């Protein structure tokens, strides 16, 4: 439910929402080795006894998924959780949907977390296009929230950059990840992305997105990839996965291809420094195809998964990016190409999801859905049950072959700790899911 400078050198306002969620566990491990990063802020499950006693953990807002400090990722993780539940036939708790709707500012924007929703947003409120676009995708799917969705879409349109794209924070240079997640939101809300043009220059989101595509003028191994931003441009797998999905006008939810023919991946082919044949097409679909080719090459090179690294650390398998790559390949109809990384996820992702909570489970659920895989039996893990357990009990659940099971709209359930605070220490103040992509990271 993400994105290129080193995190310690880049201001938080330039980071979209998908990086530290995946790297939080790596940050925690690094902190343990180094012997000292601040512990994450503790939160307690909301209960009927009112506010916690003095000195006890803070009280989680009613309806919120996860048990860790939501300051940097509340709306994002909530949106992905609700969207993943809806996608697999689970009707979320009313309290969970109510919490998300209540986070919206009067101008339509969402920030990561408003501790006091009744207090109006002001000029200091850090409105975020990633959080807003994620909320749009979730609420549009759930239905019944047309006014909330339209206000959010109007705000996103109002902060579109002249190049047609978006940054995570309005006024900053566009990036591939933020532009992609907004494209997904526009499509989910029924607004054709190609008809949304910048006030100056009349550029579309696809115009903006394709500026980050790397062509035949870069080294062979990076051709077809996307970079996070133009400054310090370098191939980035996370940006490529997001862009390969966004360029096709798709969001977090990609419908499984079913009986559709499998589309072979065709990497960007160059001859004498120029694109060769049809791969020279500069349209969004061709850009998505080139991005898929880059992703497949990286997946094959690394043993069917992607790699990334926290600053100063060795590269490690990146489960979140791999899940995004699977979705991107499925979006392009590359069913065969998605199978090996999908199998790798089934074998290796369960522990990562347990450690990283609702958004992680949601990513895996959406990857399973996109490939027509049963998320209730994902390498021996029932992802749906595990996701449901990180928040209030769903209003209804549907198990294949059985009728929906109604449930009380409660805030009970077993919650999974969400590792984020250490990400702040390692990332020099950048919160969970406010994504800092390494300037020269060859993910």
């Amino acid at each position: 439910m993400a994105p290129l400078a080193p995190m310690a050198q880049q201001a938080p306002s330039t980071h979209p929402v998908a990086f530290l969620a995946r790297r939080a566990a790596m940050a925690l491990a690094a902190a343990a080795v180094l012997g000292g990063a601040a512990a994450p802020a503790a939160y307690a499950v909301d209960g009927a006894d009112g506010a916690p006693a003095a000195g006890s953990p803070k009280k989680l807002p009613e309806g919120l998924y996860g048990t860790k400090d939501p300051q940097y990722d509340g709306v994002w993780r909530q949106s992905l959780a609700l969207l993943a539940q809806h996608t697999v036939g689970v009707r979320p708790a009313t309290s969970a949907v109510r919490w998300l709707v209540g986070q919206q500012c009067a101008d339509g924007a969402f920030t990561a977390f408003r501790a006091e929703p009744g207090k109006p947003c002001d000029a200091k409120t850090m409105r975020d296009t990633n959080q807003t676009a994620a909320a749009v995708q979730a609420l549009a799917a759930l239905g019944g929230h047309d006014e909330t969705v339209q206000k959010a879409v109007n705000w996103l349109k109002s902060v579109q950059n002249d190049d047609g794209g978006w940054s995570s924070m309005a006024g900053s240079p566009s990036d591939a990840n933020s532009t992609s997640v907004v494209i997904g939101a526009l499509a989910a809300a029924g607004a054709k992305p190609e008809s949304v043009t910048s006030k100056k220059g009349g550029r579309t989101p696809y115009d903006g997105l394709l500026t980050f595509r790397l062509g035949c003028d870069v080294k062979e191994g990076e051709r077809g990839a996307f970079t996070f931003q133009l400054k310090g441009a370098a191939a980035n797998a996370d940006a490529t996965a997001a862009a390969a999905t966004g360029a096709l006008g798709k969001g977090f939810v990609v419908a499984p291809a079913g009986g559709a023919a499998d589309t072979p991946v065709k990497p960007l082919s160059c001859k004498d420094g120029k694109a060769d044949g049809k791969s020279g097409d500069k349209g969004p679909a061709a850009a998505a195809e080139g991005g898929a080719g880059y992703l497949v090459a990286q997946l094959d090179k690394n043993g069917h998964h992607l790699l990334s690294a926290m600053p100063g650390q060795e590269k490690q398998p990146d489960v979140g990016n791999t899940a995004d790559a699977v979705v991107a390949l499925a979006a392009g109809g590359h069913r065969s190409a998605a199978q090996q990384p999908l199998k790798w996820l089934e074998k290796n992702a369960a522990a990562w999801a347990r450690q990283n909570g609702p958004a992680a489970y949601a990513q895996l659920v959406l990857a399973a859905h996109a490939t027509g895989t049963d998320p209730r039996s994902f390498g021996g893990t029932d992802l749906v049950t595990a996701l449901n357990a990180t928040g209030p009990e769903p209003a209804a659940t549907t198990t294949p072959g059985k009728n929906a099971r109604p449930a009380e709209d409660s805030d009970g359930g077993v919650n999974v700790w969400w590792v984020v605070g250490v990400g702040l220490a390692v990332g020099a103040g950048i919160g969970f899911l406010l994504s800092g992509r390494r300037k020269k990271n060859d993910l």
Side-chain angles (χ1 to χ4, degrees):
M1 185 203 202
L4 196 59
M7 290 186 295
Q9 299 178 16
Q10 192 165 336
S13 63
T14 65
H15 299 291
V17 189
F19 176 72
L20 285 179
R22 300 165 193 165
R23 287 148 176 87
M26 294 168 60
L28 183 60
V33 172
L34 296 174
Y43 272 72
V45 177
D46 186 33
D49 57 346
S56 63
K58 296 179 181 179
K59 180 181 175 183
L60 275 172
E62 180 185 5
L64 179 64
Y65 278 77
T67 61
K68 294 306 297 180
D69 189 342
Q71 181 179 358
Y72 296 98
D73 78 308
V75 165
W76 178 268
R77 78 192 191 203
Q78 191 83 352
S79 298
L80 264 66
L82 299 182
L83 186 59
Q85 286 181 321
H86 173 79
T87 300
V88 295
V90 174
R91 182 155 60 89
T94 301
S95 62
V97 181
R98 185 188 301 121
W99 183 87
L100 180 59
V101 172
Q103 289 291 300
Q104 188 175 43
C105 297
D107 61 5
F110 283 78
T111 186
F113 175 64
R114 296 172 62 198
E116 301 178 77
K119 182 179 179 181
C121 300
D122 56 24
K124 295 182 179 179
T125 302
M126 295 185 66
R127 295 160 174 81
D128 189 313
T129 65
N130 287 242
Q131 313 271 357
T132 303
V136 166
Q137 294 192 47
L139 295 174
L142 292 171
H145 303 280
D146 292 351
E147 183 178 352
T148 301
V149 168
Q150 190 57 54
K151 284 175 62 178
V153 168
N154 289 342
W155 180 78
L156 288 169
K157 291 179 179 179
S158 74
V159 296
Q160 184 180 21
N161 287 335
D162 292 343
D163 62 7
W166 284 266
S167 172
S168 62
M169 300 297 173
S172 296
S174 299
D175 64 74
N177 293 65
S178 296
T179 302
S180 298
V181 73
V182 173
I183 287 175
L186 294 172
K192 296 181 179 180
E194 64 270 19
S195 68
V196 177
T197 56
S198 58
K199 295 178 181 178
K200 182 179 179 181
R203 293 181 174 84
T204 72
Y206 296 121
D207 292 331
L209 184 60
L210 265 59
T211 62
F212 305 110
R213 182 193 187 192
L214 300 180
C216 294
D217 55 341
V218 300
K219 61 185 180 181
E220 185 174 353
E222 295 189 349
R223 292 171 183 169
F226 282 75
T227 182
F228 165 54
Q229 284 184 320
L230 295 180
K231 184 178 180 181
N236 183 277
D238 186 35
T240 303
T245 304
L248 296 173
K250 300 181 184 295
F252 297 137
V253 179
V254 171
D262 183 37
T263 303
V265 176
K266 297 179 181 179
L268 179 62
S269 177
C270 300
K271 183 177 181 180
D272 298 328
K274 296 181 180 180
D276 185 22
K278 291 185 178 180
S279 64
D281 183 358
K282 296 183 179 180
E289 185 74 26
Y294 172 79
L295 289 173
V296 168
Q298 294 299 305
L299 289 164
D300 289 348
K301 182 176 73 173
N302 299 322
H304 309 304
H305 62 272
L306 298 175
L307 298 173
S308 63
M310 294 293 290
Q313 302 298 313
E314 294 294 326
K315 288 185 177 182
Q316 300 290 334
D318 192 317
V319 182
N321 280 355
T322 302
D324 287 347
V326 168
V327 172
L329 293 173
H334 309 300
R335 298 188 328 188
S336 296
Q339 288 308 304
Q340 289 299 330
L342 178 68
K343 291 178 181 178
W344 184 89
L345 287 173
E346 289 182 302
K347 184 177 179 180
N348 296 282
W352 170 81
R354 283 196 301 271
Q355 187 171 27
N356 288 296
Y361 279 119
Q363 278 187 274
L364 296 178
V365 167
L366 295 174
H369 175 75
T371 55
T373 304
D374 184 3
R376 294 175 173 83
S377 181
F378 193 81
T381 299
D382 184 340
L383 297 175
V384 178
T385 297
L387 171 61
N388 293 345
T390 66
E393 188 175 2
T397 59
T398 301
T399 302
K402 298 182 180 180
N403 294 326
R405 176 182 64 81
E408 289 185 15
D409 177 18
S410 69
D411 195 34
V414 180
N415 288 276
V416 179
W417 285 94
W418 181 254
V419 184
V420 60
V422 178
L424 297 180
V426 176
I430 305 167
F432 153 54
L433 292 178
L434 292 180
S435 175
R437 307 306 182 210
R438 295 164 59 88
K439 183 177 290 185
K440 295 185 178 180
N441 191 347
D442 58 345
L443 300 183

